[in-house]
Amino acid sequence: MPGLHRRDKRYWLTLLLLLVAGLLMHISFWFTPAADLMGQDIYYIWLEGKRIIVGENPYSRVLASDMRANDKYATYFPLAYLVSALLQKLGFPEFLNWLYLWRPLSFLCHMGIVALALRFFYVRGLWLFGFSAAGILLLGRWSVYITRVHHLEFAAVFFLLLSLLLLKDRVTWALLVFSLSLGIKQIAIFLLPLYLVYLWKVAPETKRFKEVGLGLLIILSIPVLTSLPFLAWDAEGFIKSILFSATRAGSSHVEAAPSLDVMFSQDLPWLVGLKAKLPMMLLMGLVYLSFLTEKVSILACAALVMMVFLYFNSVLFLQYFLWPLSLTLLALVELMPPIPHRQRQQIEPEL
């Protein structure tokens, strides 16, 4: 992708305007009392870090569950909990103090998403279109919701987008950044087959198995390395905690729009857990096969996979909407070639 220049004034001025708007939006929620966030996931990430500090395994609680009813179990890979514990040890032991540090970090990740999206459109000569897309990602209702409840989505989505945009030119770095996204929040695990298919397609025919195997090791590196202590500590508790997201009972912030399996399970009690995920996995499998055999871009496939997740997963929370939205916006123009700097200057409208 052609680089940006200091002379790309439209990009930098637009990004500055969006940064100011984003900062004002984020700051408006920084004064939310910590007590109002104690039922949110961010509170339990802080709490799991505190449990680690006092010697409790955050993954052991799930052993007392039926793998259906949720009791705020530790379902993420350990990276977020380990960072939470580290920050508490470094002088942010109380939840409110911990939030003082997390809030600006979340803001930076949010602006990273906006900057990547704006750049993706801008280098294709689509400044106004990119401005609109970036504005949606910055101030749209799903972003406002995530800002209000301080979820991890901005960090995980930022590193996912960065990975996909690096994939063509810096494969190793792209895979490592994808690993970091999974370590923060593993929702993008459904995109793993797309990465492996991409590595298979671009590798020399004689080195395909080697390249795919090495790529898989890089992708799994951060989740696996951070998980090893907890696997040694309580393997059963760790495995069941990670699998809990796939077996838990249906839950949604949009009660009027349950998934198919949630509706049918009322009359078919056996249609729960992993069995209920078969339609979702079938549709995702078709997308993987399409990427392997048809001429379709990885961003378009990634957007469709995450859309399948959004539409068919038994559990639907408002923060999930950001995943397919961010990918779909980029996929709209992915096949348009970037334009060199001088040519962009000639076709851009006057300010």
Side-chain angles (χ1 to χ4, degrees), residues 1-277:
M1 182 185 296
L4 291 170
H5 299 261
R6 285 177 293 179
R7 290 174 292 171
D8 286 316
K9 294 181 181 179
R10 289 181 177 85
Y11 175 84
W12 298 114
L13 289 174
T14 304
L15 184 59
L16 178 61
L17 176 62
L18 292 169
L19 188 148
V20 171
L23 183 60
L24 291 174
M25 189 265 286
H26 274 256
I27 288 178
S28 68
F29 294 107
W30 287 1
F31 299 100
T32 302
D36 292 352
L37 297 172
M38 287 188 175
Q40 300 294 338
D41 287 355
I42 195 65
Y43 170 75
Y44 290 96
I45 291 170
W46 169 83
L47 185 60
E48 302 299 2
K50 181 171 286 294
R51 285 173 172 150
I52 292 174
I53 291 174
V54 299
E56 295 181 19
N57 188 334
Y59 296 103
S60 296
R61 290 192 308 116
V62 78
L63 295 177
S65 78
D66 60 358
M67 295 297 289
R68 294 286 294 155
N70 185 32
D71 189 22
K72 291 296 182 180
Y73 299 115
T75 57
Y76 301 155
F77 285 122
L79 181 61
Y81 307 136
L82 291 172
V83 171
S84 171
L86 176 62
L87 294 179
Q88 292 180 52
K89 292 292 288 185
L90 290 177
F92 300 89
E94 300 302 323
F95 181 49
L96 181 58
N97 295 332
W98 190 83
L99 280 176
Y100 288 149
L101 184 60
W102 168 244
R103 283 165 171 162
L105 291 177
S106 180
F107 166 70
L108 290 176
C109 290
H110 190 187
M111 289 309 306
I113 294 172
V114 172
L116 288 176
L118 181 64
R119 184 184 191 274
F120 193 77
F121 286 88
Y122 180 81
V123 298
R124 287 164 171 77
L126 301 172
W127 169 53
L128 295 175
F129 198 46
F131 196 166
S132 299
I136 293 171
L137 291 172
L138 179 66
L139 300 173
R141 63 178 64 192
W142 312 128
S143 295
V144 172
Y145 172 76
I146 294 168
T147 303
R148 180 166 61 86
V149 298
H150 299 72
H151 279 315
L152 297 177
E153 248 67 20
F154 291 140
V157 171
F158 166 69
F159 287 112
L160 172 62
L161 293 183
L162 181 60
S163 169
L164 288 167
L165 298 184
L166 288 173
L167 191 57
K168 183 177 179 181
D169 299 316
R170 294 182 174 88
V171 175
T172 301
W173 279 107
L175 300 181
L176 191 59
V177 172
F178 180 49
S179 181
L180 180 56
S181 175
L182 295 178
I184 296 171
K185 196 167 187 177
Q186 66 265 37
I187 287 180
I189 193 66
F190 298 109
L191 304 185
L192 174 59
L194 295 179
Y195 277 82
L196 299 182
V197 169
Y198 177 84
L199 294 174
W200 178 269
K201 292 170 68 173
V202 301
E205 188 172 347
T206 58
K207 296 183 178 180
R208 280 177 169 173
F209 288 101
K210 177 182 177 181
E211 294 296 324
V212 171
L214 180 60
L216 180 61
L217 290 177
I218 296 174
I219 291 171
L220 297 180
S221 60
I222 293 177
V224 169
L225 290 176
T226 55
S227 299
L228 288 177
F230 298 94
L231 280 167
W233 193 350
D234 184 354
E236 182 184 3
F238 177 80
I239 293 172
K240 285 187 173 181
S241 290
I242 299 301
L243 289 177
F244 182 79
S245 296
T247 64
R248 64 180 291 185
S251 180
S252 178
H253 285 158
V254 189
E255 298 295 341
S259 62
L260 280 173
D261 61 291
V262 170
M263 288 192 295
F264 289 137
S265 64
Q266 298 175 12
D267 299 317
L268 303 171
W270 55 269
L271 189 62
V272 295
L274 293 174
K275 296 187 292 293
K277 305 295 188 295

